[in-house]
Amino acid sequence: MNVIYLAAGQSKRMGCKKLTLPVNGEALGMKALRTIITIPSAYVFIVVNKQDTLEWISADIKERLLKGRGEIVIAEDSDKGQSYSLRAGIRQAMEHRASSVMICLADQPFITTDLLRHISSAQIKGEQKYVACIHNGEIKPPVVLSSSLFQQVLLLTGDMGAKKILQKKDVKGTELPITDEVLFIDIDTIEEYKRFCVKKEGRDKR
């Protein structure tokens, strides 16, 4: 399972480096990454911006990356929008001749291994080109893209993500209804961090 882990955002809405913020004793950016790494078949392309010192990645995960579980990908133009980070990850996946990739967000800390296995177990076959979660009628990451969509991803510009492609009428795929909204919470502002992460820490300590 090839995974593109998008961690190159500028955290403009947060006002600080959100990936380093603590959640249950670990950096926010580590939460989803650790969940992904627990799946033995996962190989992770961690896409970061060129200013990232990688202090948010724990030592044990760095060691696993060195042992063949993934690699760091620098998105040189990540400040121009999400598409540039996604394109950097896709290019690296193409270098590895990946037949498909799962796209995950570093600011989506509450995804679970069950969710990832559920998505990855849905086969892409025939005319289908993706597998996506659907929550309240809307496509949500993580999503899996077939390599047949890679060239379209490389044409994205600005702050567009893969959803732009999946919404096209001629792009067919499998959509998995998921009711648990907690899985899709992404942390973009300090208010969201305080609401979902700090509160969660308090519950877990009791």
Side-chain angles (χ1 to χ4, degrees), residues 124-137:
I124 298 176
K125 54 187 178 181
E127 296 183 350
Q128 296 180 335
K129 297 182 178 181
Y130 70 89
V131 177
C133 301
I134 298 293
H135 178 69
N136 289 339

Side-chain angles (χ1 to χ4, degrees), residues 17 23 26 29 31 41 46 67 92 123 134 187:
K17 294 181 179 179
V23 181
E26 193 162 50
K31 303 303 288 184
S41 63
I46 305 173
K67 291 182 178 179
Q92 199 63 20
Q123 295 184 351
I134 298 293
I187 308 301

